[in-house]
Amino acid sequence: AGKICVELSFHNLLTGEKRTRRIFCSAGAKAHEKISWSLESAYCGNIRVTVKRIEAYDFMGLFGADQPSGNRESVIVLPDIFDVDVEISEGLAVNWESMRYSELKRGDDPSEIFGIRPYEPGDSQKYIHWKLSWKLGNLYVKEPSLPTENAILLFFETADLHSGVKDPKGQAALMEAFLSVSQCLCRQGISHMLGWYDQRKERLCMENVESEDNLTQMIQGLLSLERRERNFTGLGEYIRRYQENPFGHVVYFTAEEPENECGGISDVCCFTVVRQGDDLERLLI
């Protein structure tokens, strides 16, 4: 084959960037040729490289054969992890292994008291605070607390609600901030959860992170998260699934302005939004 044209396509799953490139070479009869080429990317992500087609011509370039391929491999461009001054509030830092309760909403766990209020018709007698009622001369009831499953959840949004102009740089920077905060928590010995909605598998994913080794094992998968146009957010799916057993503090990483549903989550737990483009040097949790 006097002339061979190999057409490659590149797709950064994280940022959505797509490019094509042609590589030319030649091959002798019954010979094997090894071709080297370089690849670089300005942004982190999992870059899928696909051989779309191979065109082979004779030495004169008059006759050719076109063969589709479809072979693919992936190249990982690692993120730039930076230091974030993550400050843990006193309420979350007391005991990471014990049961935690919401400070903002009452629940149904009688083992922990959320508050005390005057008795109202219809209240269960098992919640009456008899000692306080006898002391004050009126009936008072104990309001049970709402247990939270974990202290901290870092949630990465993958939904594109407005189908606007893609921002590869911003999306890559948001992922770097997401991973940087997680690493800083690991270095402080703080176990936490990472959450996201997988657009390809169409399911909510939650993974526990206890060490930097855990995080390292997850990076390749996180750099493959695709952002797709949806009429619902991953955060909305989390609220629907975990509204009865929420986390104590949710840090929401998003490329767009949070929707109205964020008001609902702030009623049951502490809620912090990290927007695409924010200068993240210090974070209070």
Side-chain angles (χ1 to χ4, degrees):
K3 179 181 179 182
I4 299 175
C5 175
V6 181
E7 183 177 350
L8 303 175
S9 69
F10 305 89
H11 179 199
N12 189 324
L13 301 179
L14 177 66
T15 65
E17 296 171 283
K18 294 182 179 180
R19 299 285 189 274
T20 59
R21 177 179 177 181
R22 289 188 172 188
I23 296 177
F24 296 93
C25 63
S26 61
K30 298 182 180 180
H32 294 273
E33 296 290 340
K34 183 177 181 180
I35 307 162
S36 299
W37 51 275
S38 61
L39 167 69
E40 65 178 32
S41 173
Y43 312 121
C44 64
N46 186 345
I47 301 178
R48 180 179 294 165
V49 185
T50 305
V51 181
K52 296 186 66 175
R53 64 193 321 107
I54 301 174
E55 300 171 340
Y57 298 89
D58 66 293
F59 281 93
M60 299 294 293
L62 299 176
F63 304 99
D66 185 0
Q67 178 181 350
S69 177
N71 294 340
R72 62 175 54 174
E73 289 289 346
S74 293
V75 178
I76 300 298
V77 179
L78 294 175
D80 290 329
I81 302 298
F82 55 89
D83 290 331
V84 182
D85 182 12
V86 179
E87 182 178 343
I88 306 300
S89 62
E90 184 177 352
L92 288 177
V94 175
N95 188 348
W96 293 100
E97 301 302 326
S98 65
M99 179 64 73
R100 306 170 187 89
Y101 297 88
S102 172
E103 300 178 358
L104 304 173
K105 185 179 180 180
R106 61 177 180 270
D108 55 6
D109 188 347
S111 64
E112 188 77 9
I113 298 177
F114 175 79
I116 298 175
R117 60 171 174 79
Y119 174 85
E120 296 177 356
D123 287 339
S124 174
Q125 292 186 4
K126 68 179 181 179
Y127 290 138
I128 295 178
H129 197 309
W130 294 108
K131 186 175 181 180
L132 183 64
S133 299
W134 175 83
K135 191 173 183 179
L136 298 179
N138 291 304
L139 288 178
Y140 286 85
V141 295
K142 297 176 287 186
E143 292 184 309
S145 291
L146 176 67
T148 61
E149 180 173 305
N150 286 280
I152 298 176
L153 168 66
L154 308 182
F155 195 92
F156 188 85
E157 185 58 69
T158 59
D160 184 0
L161 295 177
H162 304 108
S163 188
V165 178
K166 304 300 182 184
D167 182 6
K169 180 179 180 181
Q171 188 72 358
L174 190 66
M175 175 58 72
E176 290 176 345
F178 179 67
L179 296 174
S180 295
V181 172
S182 179
Q183 179 174 278
C184 289
L185 290 174
C186 290
R187 289 180 175 176
Q188 294 186 45
I190 299 173
S191 175
H192 57 283
M193 294 283 282
L194 300 184
W196 65 90
Y197 186 85
D198 191 314
Q199 299 292 348
R200 283 179 292 170
K201 299 179 180 178
E202 296 186 342
R203 65 183 179 90
L204 186 68
C205 300
M206 310 286 280
E207 293 289 343
N208 187 47
V209 180
E210 296 182 348
S211 67
E212 289 188 64
D213 288 340
N214 293 152
L215 183 61
T216 300
Q217 294 170 6
M218 296 170 59
I219 283 182
Q220 180 171 346
L222 292 171
L223 293 178
S224 303
L225 293 180
E226 296 184 50
R227 188 176 174 209
R228 295 185 180 178
E229 183 179 356
R230 296 289 185 183
N231 57 4
F232 63 90
T233 63
L235 181 67
E237 288 297 295
Y238 159 74
I239 295 173
R240 184 176 63 84
R241 293 273 300 275
Y242 285 79
Q243 59 183 344
E244 298 300 328
N245 197 12
F247 286 73
H249 195 129
V250 176
V251 184
Y252 182 44
F253 294 78
T254 177
E256 301 176 347
E257 287 297 320
E259 297 296 304
N260 296 331
E261 60 199 10
C262 294
I265 190 173
S266 61
D267 292 336
V268 297
C269 68
C270 297
F271 184 64
T272 301
V273 178
V274 177
R275 296 174 180 83
Q276 184 172 298
D278 286 354
D279 186 10
L280 192 64
E281 294 183 356
R282 183 174 181 272
L283 182 65
L284 176 62
I285 298 179

